[in-house]
Amino acid sequence: MSSLSTAVRRTTLYGILAAGALLSVAPYLLTLNGALKRPSDLLSTEAWVPAHPATSGNFAAVWNQYGMSSFLLHTLVVAVLVTAGQVVFSALAAYALARMEFPGRDWLFWGYLATMMVPQMITLVPLFLMMREMGMVDTYAGLILPTVFGTPYGVFLVRQHFRTVPKDLEAAARIDGASTWTILVRIMLPLSRPILATLAIITFVNTWNNLIWPLIITNSDRTRVVTVGIAALQGEHVSDLPHIVLAGAALALLPLIAVFLLFQRHIVRSIALTGLK
């Protein structure tokens, strides 16, 4: 009786988990299903009805006729540069704030961290005015500069990890004649690979999905990223070409799926370390 009760509870739990997983992936499956439907079938069938016959013509059209390849390339360049910059500069700032002694260090850190409390929308207008005065509107520099030098969250994440590294290890390296730079590069960074990978993954995904800032700072196809490109497709063609918009959205998901498959071990670890959902 007890084993039967345990089996029922376990089956119920698995059923709830399976239903939750299905609900989570349902929007992505519906997007892919809609992108594979013929234009005539898309509006005449329910969204959950499988595409039959499936067609790749929508993907070819959005890739060749509507500039999706350029949007993806622009997004990849911006996401890679921002990710690399955030990892490098966050590590430098975090080391200084965690292990170096100078007057006002803690006040500087907590003051910097307090900027996390300021909503992003408040800073958009002054940030845009600064970029405009520097002539960076509709440029890669305008897209990248506001976040490439690190964020309070990134610095906080790496600093907290650096503080867990035993000080005796650093002291032993200094006795052996290691400089501050040597300690950072040859001791601290190798010991911090999991947290740096976590920061890189979070930054790449957030940059890839960012819409508000690219929408404000760019105004031409020359620098348009994929989120803005899809929004433009939706605004221009949603009434007569929804299959193009769905195909563009499905293509935009592919790089993130590739990142997940390549770094799934680090992503699971990042969820455990940061509590992200």
Side-chain angles (χ1 to χ4, degrees):
M1 186 66 181
S2 176
S3 60
L4 178 61
S5 177
T6 301
V8 170
R9 286 201 299 269
R10 184 172 298 175
T11 303
T12 304
L13 176 62
Y14 287 161
I16 294 173
L17 292 176
L22 183 61
L23 286 174
S24 298
V25 300
Y28 307 104
L29 295 178
L30 292 177
T31 299
L32 180 60
N33 187 44
L36 291 172
K37 287 184 177 182
R38 295 178 301 180
S40 58
D41 296 336
L42 185 59
L43 299 179
S44 61
T45 60
E46 298 293 344
W48 57 83
V49 175
H52 182 73
T55 176
S56 61
N58 300 331
F59 293 99
V62 75
W63 186 270
N64 296 322
Q65 300 176 22
Y66 296 96
M68 183 55 66
S69 58
S70 299
F71 300 156
L72 289 173
L73 178 61
H74 299 162
T75 311
L76 182 63
V77 171
V78 172
V80 168
L81 291 177
V82 170
T83 301
Q86 285 220 21
V87 170
V88 171
F89 291 108
S90 294
L92 294 175
Y95 180 76
L97 293 169
R99 308 309 285 259
M100 299 179 72
E101 298 290 341
F102 55 88
R105 184 193 66 175
D106 292 339
W107 284 102
L108 177 64
F109 171 69
W110 291 113
Y112 182 55
L113 197 64
T115 61
M116 290 176 61
M117 304 300 113
V118 181
Q120 183 190 15
M121 300 301 291
I122 294 178
T123 62
L124 285 178
V125 172
L127 192 58
F128 174 78
L129 295 176
M130 291 170 59
M131 293 294 115
R132 190 185 65 178
E133 292 300 317
M134 291 189 288
M136 294 183 180
V137 174
D138 201 27
T139 64
Y140 279 109
L143 278 168
I144 294 168
L145 275 184
T147 50
V148 73
F149 294 114
T151 60
Y153 174 77
V155 173
F156 173 77
L157 190 68
V158 182
R159 174 188 179 268
Q160 296 307 102
H161 180 76
F162 280 170
R163 288 172 64 87
T164 64
V165 177
K167 290 186 176 180
D168 292 344
L169 196 62
E170 187 175 354
R174 290 198 181 279
I175 291 174
D176 290 339
S179 65
T180 300
W181 182 256
T182 302
I183 292 172
L184 173 62
V185 173
R186 303 189 63 175
I187 297 177
M188 303 297 284
L189 294 184
L191 292 175
S192 306
R193 284 175 183 164
I195 203 68
L196 295 176
T198 298
L199 176 61
I201 292 167
I202 293 173
T203 303
F204 185 88
V205 173
N206 287 342
T207 306
W208 189 275
N209 291 327
N210 190 15
L211 170 64
I212 300 299
W213 179 244
L215 184 64
I216 292 174
I217 198 65
T218 61
N219 53 32
S220 72
D221 288 346
R222 187 166 54 90
T223 54
R224 185 170 284 172
V225 298
V226 69
T227 50
V228 181
I230 293 173
L233 287 175
Q234 187 176 15
E236 295 169 7
H237 307 293
V238 69
S239 60
D240 54 350
L241 298 175
H243 56 291
I244 295 297
V245 177
L246 289 173
L251 281 176
L253 288 174
L254 294 181
L256 297 181
I257 293 174
V259 169
F260 175 77
L261 294 177
L262 288 173
F263 302 103
Q264 54 182 314
R265 182 168 58 89
H266 295 294
I267 291 174
V268 172
R269 186 175 177 81
S270 73
I271 294 173
L273 288 172
T274 65
L276 290 177
K277 296 179 180 178

